[in-house]
């Protein structure tokens, strides 16, 4: 019984630690604007794709 | 009036970089930073849940150029929440987060029905395409029909997100011979159609002669492709421009009857009066809330103002038109927050120096200018022209007389769409009422947007100046070109205020770090 409780507690502790570490990591992404820095880096790639790979029937 | 206890609202300019994005997000104290962080997370989850998990939406990302602008959604919210704390921050998120979800759903629906992407024909057969600048009140009696605006998704929102979003389309339109001095909004919308960059879906479309000759030109280019190539019939809702005159109302009502009959014919759905009056109640509730916010803004402690008032009113009044209950819930929460903040005499910036009415058609590529005005110079934008829309209550109980009245109400709302209700309709709505608002709101300043391609306003320049001089009101002209920052940059917009404040008012900025910013490359 005791080992089961111990296992459960250590599992819960791990869960809490993972949640805290995940939140801390996300907070770093949020605070240092890393999400926007990443999407800004993606923009020229998408523009290249629109300019070179998309076929369009451009006319009035 | 000063509030010295606000955390971290000095040197907001230090967050700017020369590139696309800011160096970091704002520190707002523990509670407000944690709150803002939770809303940031919420918005990313919404975008993943509604848009990014579906392969068809990813396919659309690689098909439509304007989709690249949606990479900047979180930054748009940061721009509008700049310097905000407490209830003002919460009001802003209440609005912006709801708009993010609503736009995410719009994109998802567009790509679901799009013949190139999802090609869900059954869904598409219930879709009615509507203009960007069209009151959706004509859809209030069609609960099972899906009104979608391709222009909101492809031009209106992208320019809010990314100041250069429309440039490619403006250039395409001009390459095909459209004049360069046309308003860049309809020009960009026409450019999207010419560039074959609009989703193709729907059983029919309703276009409205919303605002001006430019807007009619854009619609004609778009409807030609819709009708002749895509086989989508288009109804032209020709609403009178002299909307304050009694003798045009019968004609306006008949146009609404014709539009309803057209939608019924093409969707196979019938107008539902029960649903209409439910929506009408929500329209009235939104009007009541807006009037309450404006009443608070007449006092020394305005609460729902600046872009918190402007962006939300545009969306709720025009694009929602009482059709969605979530916006009624948001109205209730915003009103509760505003009342709470008013009781506590909360301020949205460190210092209030001037009370201003913002008039004219605002620069779309610089919608957060109102936030800048407040943080940099302490000028409080109490209300703006596009938020001063209908204040009349419409019929909301289902009786035989009210069914007849409802048609006139829909016509009235359509005539009084944002922008057209002031840029057209005569001298009284554009000039006289401005000076009435200046008195009612106890304003000492008018910031007058001069959208250089908007002929509706440019002709009145001298008359505005004459009246301002007579009344002793500071009138500051701010020129811009709506969708095109190449003509006048964001700094060019700011410089017009900076030089007035320094030379005429002889003042120093509240936050000098915001006076000159290198944001030419910024989203
Ligand atoms: S801003 Fe002026 S020119 Fe442009 S669509 Fe509106 S009314 Fe027309």
């Amino acid at each position: 019984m005791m080992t089961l409780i111990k296992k459960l507690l250590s599992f819960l502790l791990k869960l809490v630690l993972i949640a805290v570490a995940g939140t801390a990591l996300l907070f770093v992404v949020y605070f240092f604007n890393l999400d926007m820095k990443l999407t800004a880096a993606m923009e020229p790639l998408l523009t290249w794709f629109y300019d070179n790979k998309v076929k369009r029937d451009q006319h009035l | 009036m000063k509030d010295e206890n606000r955390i971290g609202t000095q040197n907001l300019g230090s967050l700017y970089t020369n590139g696309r994005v800011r160096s970091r997000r704002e520190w707002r104290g523990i509670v407000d930073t944690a709150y803002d962080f939770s809303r940031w997370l919420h918005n990313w989850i919404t975008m993943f849940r509604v848009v990014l998990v579906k392969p068809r939406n990813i396919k659309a990302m690689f098909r439509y150029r304007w989709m690249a602008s949606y990479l900047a959604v979180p930054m748009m919210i940061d721009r509008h929440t700049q310097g905000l704390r407490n209830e003002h921050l919460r009001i802003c998120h209440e609005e912006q987060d709801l708009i993010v979800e609503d736009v995410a759903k719009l994109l998802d629906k567009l790509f679901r029905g799009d013949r190139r992407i999802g090609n869900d024909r059954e869904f598409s057969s219930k879709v009615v395409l509507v203009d960007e600048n069209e009151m959706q009140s004509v859809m209030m009696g069609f609960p099972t029909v899906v009104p979608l605006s391709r222009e909101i998704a492809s031009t209106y929102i992208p320019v809010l997100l990314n100041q250069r979003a429309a440039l490619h389309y403006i250039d395409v339109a001009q390459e095909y011979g459209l004049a360069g001095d046309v308003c860049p909004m309809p020009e960009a919308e026409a450019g999207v159609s010419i560039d074959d960059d609009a989703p193709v879906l729907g059983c029919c479309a309703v276009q409205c002669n919303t605002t001006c000759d430019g807007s009619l030109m854009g619609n004609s280019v778009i409807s030609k492709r819709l009708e002749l190539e895509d086989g989508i019939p288009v109804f032209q809702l020709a609403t009178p421009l002299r909307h304050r005159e009694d003798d045009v109302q019968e004609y306006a009502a008949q146009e609404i009857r014709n539009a309803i009959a057209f939608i019924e014919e093409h969707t196979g759905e019938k107008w539902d009066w029960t649903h209409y009056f439910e929506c009408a109640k929500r329209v009235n509730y939104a009007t009541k809330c807006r009037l309450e916010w404006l009443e608070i803004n007449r006092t020394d402690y305005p609460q729902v103002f600046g872009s918190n008032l402007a962006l939300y009113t545009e969306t709720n009044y025009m694009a929602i038109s009482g059709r969605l209950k979530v916006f009624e819930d948001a109205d209730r929460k915003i009103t509760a927050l505003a009342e709470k903040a008013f009781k506590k005499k909360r301020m949205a910036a460190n210092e209030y120096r001037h009370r201003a009415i913002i008039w004219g058609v605002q620069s779309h590529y610089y919608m957060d200018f109102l936030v800048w005005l407040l943080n940099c110079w302490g000028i409080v934008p109490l209300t703006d022209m596009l938020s001063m829309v209908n204040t009349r209550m419409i019929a909301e109980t289902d009786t035989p007389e009210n069914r007849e009245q409802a048609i006139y109400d829909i016509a009235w709302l359509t005539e009084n769409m944002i922008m057209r209700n002031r840029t057209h309709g005569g001298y009284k709505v554009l000039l006289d009422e401005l000076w009435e608002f200046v008195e009612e709101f106890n304003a000492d300043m008018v910031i007058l947007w001069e959208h250089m391609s908007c002929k509706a306003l440019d002709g009145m320049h001298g008359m505005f100046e004459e009246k301002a001089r007579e009344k002793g009101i500071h009138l500051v002209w701010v020129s811009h070109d709506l969708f095109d920052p190449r003509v006048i940059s964001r700094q060019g917009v700011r410089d017009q205020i900076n030089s007035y404040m320094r030379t005429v008012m002889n003042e120093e900025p509240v936050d000098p770090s915001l006076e000159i910013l290198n944001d030419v490359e910024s989203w």
Side-chain angles (χ1 to χ4, degrees):
Chain A
M1 189 64 183
M2 281 307 277
T3 42
L4 195 70
I5 291 173
K6 263 186 190 168
K7 267 187 190 168
L8 201 70
L9 279 177
S10 81
F11 174 72
L12 282 176
L13 188 70
K14 267 184 205 156
L15 218 60
V16 169
L17 283 177
I18 291 169
V20 169
T23 308
L25 195 72
L26 283 170
F27 187 79
V28 169
V29 172
Y30 158 82
F31 193 69
F32 292 102
N33 211 13
L34 300 180
D35 55 330
M36 290 297 88
K37 286 171 186 165
L38 176 70
T39 54
M42 285 161 63
E43 194 193 20
L45 304 176
L46 281 171
T47 308
W48 178 87
F49 197 87
Y50 303 135
D51 287 341
N52 297 290
K53 295 285 175 197
V54 180
K55 286 200 179 68
R56 288 194 173 78
D57 181 13
Q58 194 189 73
H59 65 83
L60 195 61
Chain B
M1 223 158 58
K2 283 190 182 187
D3 179 352
E4 308 281 7
N5 303 323
R6 293 159 56 81
I7 303 161
T9 43
Q10 295 298 330
N11 294 321
L12 287 171
S14 65
L15 302 177
Y16 287 72
T17 64
N18 293 346
R20 286 276 186 276
V21 299
R22 309 266 159 94
S23 57
R24 64 166 175 82
R25 289 194 164 90
E26 231 179 288
W27 177 252
R28 304 170 196 262
I30 292 172
V31 176
D32 282 350
T33 305
Y35 171 75
D36 193 61
F37 169 60
S38 73
R39 299 316 299 174
W40 168 81
L41 206 55
H42 167 88
N43 286 327
W44 269 117
I45 291 170
T46 301
M47 288 187 283
F48 268 98
R49 184 173 51 83
V50 184
V51 182
L52 296 170
V53 285
K54 295 179 188 157
R56 66 162 187 253
N57 296 338
I58 302 296
K59 188 176 165 193
M61 185 101 202
F62 285 91
R63 172 60 183 81
Y64 297 114
R65 182 183 296 271
W66 41 268
M67 276 299 286
S69 298
Y70 287 90
L71 294 172
V73 171
M75 178 159 166
M76 182 191 86
I77 299 171
D78 295 339
R79 286 182 10 223
H80 288 283
T81 56
Q82 192 177 68
L84 297 183
R85 306 286 181 268
N86 304 308
E87 287 84 1
H88 300 115
L89 179 66
R90 283 150 186 82
I91 289 171
C92 193
H93 272 297
E94 198 62 58
E95 299 174 349
Q96 299 265 347
D97 302 357
L98 184 56
I99 293 171
V100 166
E101 185 162 352
D102 192 56
V103 174
K105 286 180 181 162
L106 166 67
L107 293 176
D108 186 47
K109 286 179 196 158
L110 280 174
F111 302 139
R112 179 176 168 191
D114 187 1
R115 293 178 197 170
R116 298 187 185 104
I117 308 285
N119 201 18
D120 183 336
R121 288 178 195 199
E122 203 186 321
F123 173 73
S124 184
S125 70
K126 295 294 170 208
V127 169
V128 174
L129 296 178
V130 290
D131 263 0
E132 176 204 315
N133 277 316
E134 187 172 330
M135 288 294 290
Q136 296 203 10
S137 30
V138 74
M139 305 305 298
M140 283 159 65
F142 288 113
T144 49
V145 173
V146 187
L148 295 179
S149 167
R150 304 183 303 170
E151 288 80 20
I152 286 183
S154 65
T155 44
Y156 182 90
I157 301 285
V159 181
L160 287 180
L161 298 166
N162 168 8
Q163 59 173 325
R164 285 179 310 280
L167 301 187
H168 170 81
Y169 301 114
I170 292 170
D171 291 348
V172 167
Q174 292 183 15
E175 276 166 28
Y176 280 82
L178 271 67
D181 64 351
V182 169
C183 175
M185 179 165 73
E187 187 151 53
E189 290 168 8
V192 172
S193 173
I194 295 169
D195 201 30
D196 195 18
D197 223 20
V200 182
L201 74 162
C203 62
C204 64
V206 178
Q207 288 189 328
C208 188
N209 64 334
T210 29
T211 46
C212 60
D213 52 345
S215 145
L216 282 177
M217 177 281 303
N219 282 353
S220 65
V221 173
I222 295 166
S223 65
K224 183 171 162 264
R225 194 158 193 153
L226 277 175
E227 292 204 297
L228 303 183
E229 294 176 34
D230 303 328
I232 298 171
V234 184
F235 181 84
Q236 297 296 338
L237 180 54
T239 302
L241 291 169
R242 293 185 300 120
H243 50 81
R244 292 280 173 109
E245 307 291 326
D246 288 342
D247 57 357
V248 302
Q249 304 307 332
E250 177 47 43
Y251 162 76
Q254 189 52 44
E255 276 295 285
I256 297 298
R257 289 187 198 103
N258 296 346
I260 290 172
F262 174 86
I263 297 167
E264 285 183 335
E265 183 194 335
H266 290 280
T267 58
E269 299 292 328
K270 279 271 158 246
W271 182 262
D272 177 340
W273 281 110
T274 310
H275 191 260
Y276 170 82
F277 284 110
E278 262 169 41
C279 296
K281 281 193 187 99
R282 288 198 279 264
V283 168
N284 284 342
Y285 185 69
T287 308
K288 182 179 159 285
C289 290
R290 181 163 34 84
L291 288 173
E292 198 172 323
W293 306 341
L294 292 173
E295 198 53 46
I296 294 177
N297 291 358
R298 290 182 172 91
T299 70
D300 285 347
Y301 293 97
Q303 300 301 335
V304 187
F305 64 94
S307 58
N308 271 2
L309 179 67
L311 251 183
Y312 184 73
T313 302
E314 280 187 28
T315 311
N316 197 9
Y317 178 73
M318 186 173 70
I320 304 303
S321 292
R323 293 178 304 104
L324 302 179
K325 192 182 171 303
V326 278
F327 278 79
E328 185 189 2
D329 300 339
D331 284 337
R332 193 165 290 119
K333 285 182 200 157
I334 294 164
T335 306
L337 283 164
E339 284 169 354
K340 194 171 152 199
F342 180 69
K343 277 189 197 128
K344 290 182 185 165
K345 298 189 172 178
R346 289 265 202 233
M347 288 171 63
N350 293 358
E351 192 176 337
Y352 290 174
R353 287 183 185 166
H354 299 282
R355 296 170 62 84
I357 303 286
I358 315 294
W359 211 245
V361 179
Q362 71 229 4
S363 150
H364 207 68
Y365 59 82
Y366 197 10
M367 272 296 258
D368 50 319
F369 168 78
L370 301 182
V371 181
W372 174 85
L373 212 53
L374 182 68
N375 286 321
C376 185
W377 288 102
I379 299 171
V380 187
L382 299 163
T383 187
D384 61 285
M385 188 179 89
L386 273 57
S387 297
M388 302 309 275
V389 283
N390 173 51
T391 53
R392 244 192 227 178
M393 293 296 157
I394 59 173
E396 59 171 41
T397 38
D398 190 356
T399 63
E401 306 80 58
N402 280 352
R403 287 188 181 192
E404 183 59 15
Q405 178 57 39
I407 300 294
Y408 285 83
D409 289 341
I410 301 169
W412 170 257
L413 289 172
T414 309
E415 289 170 85
N416 282 279
M417 163 259 174
I418 56 163
M419 183 153 67
R420 98 194 298 272
N421 73 325
R422 303 259 166 220
T423 58
H424 295 84
Y427 185 93
K428 180 161 177 17
V429 289
L430 185 63
L431 278 123
D432 288 355
E433 289 186 5
L434 164 63
W435 307 114
E436 287 168 21
F437 296 141
V438 166
E439 270 173 37
E440 282 173 25
F441 284 81
N442 192 20
D444 63 332
M445 200 174 242
V446 170
I447 307 286
L448 233 161
W449 286 116
E450 189 166 48
H451 166 23
M452 55 206 294
S453 308
C454 183
K455 288 135 209 120
L457 263 145
D458 291 354
M460 303 264 197
H461 196 115
M463 289 190 236
F464 278 114
E465 291 200 330
E466 202 181 291
K467 206 73 184 171
R469 225 172 279 132
E470 191 186 306
K471 293 194 171 277
I473 299 290
H474 293 285
L475 178 70
V476 193
W477 289 99
V478 184
S479 300
H480 66 93
D481 199 21
L482 197 71
F483 270 32
D484 195 343
R486 293 171 300 191
V487 181
I488 296 176
S489 67
R490 284 178 178 167
Q491 186 56 42
V493 168
R494 289 190 289 268
D495 279 343
Q496 298 170 70
I497 297 289
N498 292 343
S499 54
Y500 191 94
M501 295 309 286
R502 284 194 175 276
T503 56
V504 181
M505 307 299 285
N506 213 2
E507 287 182 18
E508 289 293 321
V510 176
D511 183 349
S513 72
L514 286 169
E515 197 175 359
I516 296 171
L517 301 164
N518 188 0
D519 57 354
V520 178
E521 291 297 320
S522 173
W523 269 335

